[in-house]
């Protein structure tokens, strides 16, 4: 999990994408239906990096078998402070096949939803380009 954490903290989206399984399922804290696939997940994460300010991981927890991880973070969206957690599961090849993000408080989640919603057209276009390139 160190590679993922370091890539996210460094803003190295190429390295983050390389750690995603092709069939990764991303569950957003602000959208009901999960997103399926590497292209859309990478595009969403690329946009989140632009939306989150002062992002930092503060705690890391791992299961005994090393396949499940929880990375607790603190960040801001505009004037709203958020606490959150990335719940990550690794497949048999050590790639991320499930990524679930949760955030709090509600006002922070609402700010995140608004910021991502305003950019979702560009997310969809980037995902299409990524899918076509793979």
């Amino acid at each position: 999990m160190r590679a993922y954490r370091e890539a996210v903290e460094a803003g190295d989206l190429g390295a983050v994408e390389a750690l995603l399984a092709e069939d990764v399922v991303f569950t957003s804290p602000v959208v009901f239906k999960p997103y399926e696939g590497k292209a859309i997940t990478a595009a969403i994460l690329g946009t989140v990096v632009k939306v989150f300010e002062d992002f930092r991981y503060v705690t890391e927890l791992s299961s005994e078998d090393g396949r499940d991880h929880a990375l607790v973070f603190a960040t801001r969206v505009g004037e709203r402070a958020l606490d959150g957690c990335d719940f990550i599961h690794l497949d048999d090849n050590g790639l991320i096949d499930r990524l679930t993000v949760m955030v709090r408080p509600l006002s922070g989640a609402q700010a995140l939803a608004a910021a991502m919603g305003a950019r979702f057209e560009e997310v969809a276009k980037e995902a299409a380009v990524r899918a076509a390139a793979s």
Side-chain angles (χ1 to χ4, degrees):
M1 202 45 18
R2 175 173 286 166
Y4 177 81
R5 181 177 179 164
E6 289 175 357
V8 170
E9 289 175 332
D12 185 348
L13 299 176
V16 171
E17 186 173 3
L19 297 169
L20 301 175
E22 289 297 327
D23 61 348
V24 63
V25 175
F26 174 75
T27 304
S28 165
V30 296
V31 178
F32 175 74
K33 183 180 175 187
Y35 296 96
E36 297 181 14
K38 186 175 187 172
I40 188 65
T41 300
I44 290 169
L45 294 176
T47 302
V48 167
V49 169
K50 298 172 189 171
V51 169
F52 282 169
E53 301 171 51
D54 302 324
F55 180 90
R56 65 203 174 284
Y57 284 116
V58 295
T59 305
E60 182 176 337
L61 306 168
S62 298
S63 64
E64 286 185 28
D65 67 2
R67 293 188 63 182
D68 291 288
H69 303 271
L71 299 174
V72 179
F73 62 84
T75 191
R76 265 185 323 103
V77 175
E79 295 180 10
R80 298 290 181 192
L82 284 92
D83 296 308
C85 189
D86 293 339
F87 294 98
I88 298 166
H89 182 267
L90 304 178
D91 67 12
D92 292 336
N93 299 313
L95 296 174
I96 298 168
D97 65 354
R98 284 194 318 260
L99 173 57
T100 299
V101 179
M102 295 187 181
V103 298
R104 64 155 308 279
L106 178 59
S107 61
Q110 290 168 328
L112 176 60
M116 289 298 292
R119 293 170 172 84
F120 208 77
E121 187 174 315
E122 72 183 63
V123 170
K125 287 179 184 176
E126 183 178 337
V129 168
R130 288 175 183 273
S134 61

